[in-house]
Amino acid sequence: LVVILRGLPGSGKSRTARTLRDIEVANGGEAPRVLSIDDYFMQETEVKKRDEETKKWVKVTEMQYVYEEEMVPTYRASALKAFKRTIDEGLYKFVVVDSPNVSTAEYKDFWSHAKTKGYEVYVYEVLAHVDKCAERNTHGRTREEILASANLWEACPDYMIRLTGLDSVLKTDDLGEGDVNEVD
């Protein structure tokens, strides 16, 4: 099973992916493989933090999300390569793709590869108003950038099966940060 998530930045795709994973595990299934484009934008960054014990400022290395528009095609190609390897190796029965996928071209190769390998493939659109996306996006994307993505949004092709009616099951709009538990 492959679920391809699509939605504007800040719409709740990553939260939806975590929720799908948590539901699967809670019902006795194996945790699905979640492939997120966000992972490619994570960079090690040195920051100064105050040590709680010594009260001194120390340099520590943290992973931070750093969006670079010019890297999107490269990262999308890397994500597709990782997806194909995941599908070809058959190590996961359930795979979730977490990426904006604003245009069909951004996710059709994921869909096609999984279909040719015998997977059931569904597209789930995580929809939210631009203002709501701008308010809750954690990657520093501006309202104008999100609106630009919304203006480029393409409808899912009829030949792809869309998942609908999951909003009440996923309840992603009502969740707080602590309401979804991480599973390793």
Side-chain angles (χ1 to χ4, degrees):
L1 174 66
V2 171
V3 175
I4 298 171
L5 300 177
R6 59 187 304 239
L8 299 174
S11 63
K13 295 176 303 300
S14 296
R15 179 169 283 156
T16 299
R18 288 190 302 269
T19 303
L20 286 171
R21 181 188 61 206
D22 290 349
I23 290 170
E24 184 68 14
V25 171
N27 287 290
E30 294 178 21
R33 171 77 162 108
V34 176
L35 295 162
S36 176
I37 194 76
D38 288 348
D39 293 342
Y40 292 90
F41 291 100
M42 298 303 290
Q43 296 180 6
E44 283 188 2
T45 307
E46 253 189 27
V47 294
K48 284 187 174 185
K49 285 197 167 189
R50 192 171 189 98
D51 185 287
E52 292 299 319
E53 289 180 24
T54 66
K55 306 295 184 204
K56 293 182 180 180
W57 289 97
V58 294
K59 286 184 183 179
V60 294
T61 302
E62 289 184 349
M63 296 300 288
Q64 291 186 334
Y65 182 90
V66 179
Y67 182 74
E68 299 173 274
E69 179 74 33
E70 66 277 3
M71 294 305 296
V72 170
T74 301
Y75 292 163
R76 190 173 293 123
S78 293
L80 178 60
K81 184 177 178 182
F83 176 80
K84 286 180 175 182
R85 186 172 53 248
T86 298
I87 295 298
D88 293 348
E89 291 174 359
L91 299 175
Y92 293 88
K93 296 176 185 169
F94 185 4
V95 180
V96 178
V97 177
D98 170 13
S99 183
N101 295 315
V102 171
S103 70
T104 307
E106 294 175 15
Y107 62 96
K108 72 176 181 176
D109 290 340
F110 291 87
W111 184 89
S112 296
H113 188 77
K115 288 297 280 183
T116 61
K117 298 296 182 174
Y119 279 73
E120 291 182 50
V121 184
Y122 299 93
V123 176
Y124 183 67
E125 296 176 341
V126 183
L127 302 175
H129 190 275
V130 169
D131 290 333
K132 184 77 166 176
C133 292
E135 174 186 313
R136 67 181 178 194
N137 99 85
T138 59
H139 304 312
R141 304 291 291 279
T142 66
R143 182 188 184 288
E144 291 70 30
E145 289 172 318
I146 295 169
L147 182 59
S149 290
N151 289 334
L152 296 173
W153 187 266
E154 292 178 7
C156 182
D158 290 339
Y159 62 88
M160 293 182 184
I161 301 172
R162 287 181 51 221
L163 284 177
T164 58
L166 290 182
D167 295 343
S168 62
V169 175
L170 296 175
K171 298 178 189 162
T172 56
D173 276 344
D174 299 333
L175 296 176
E177 270 311 304
D179 292 335
V180 178
N181 297 321
E182 293 287 336
V183 177
D184 291 325

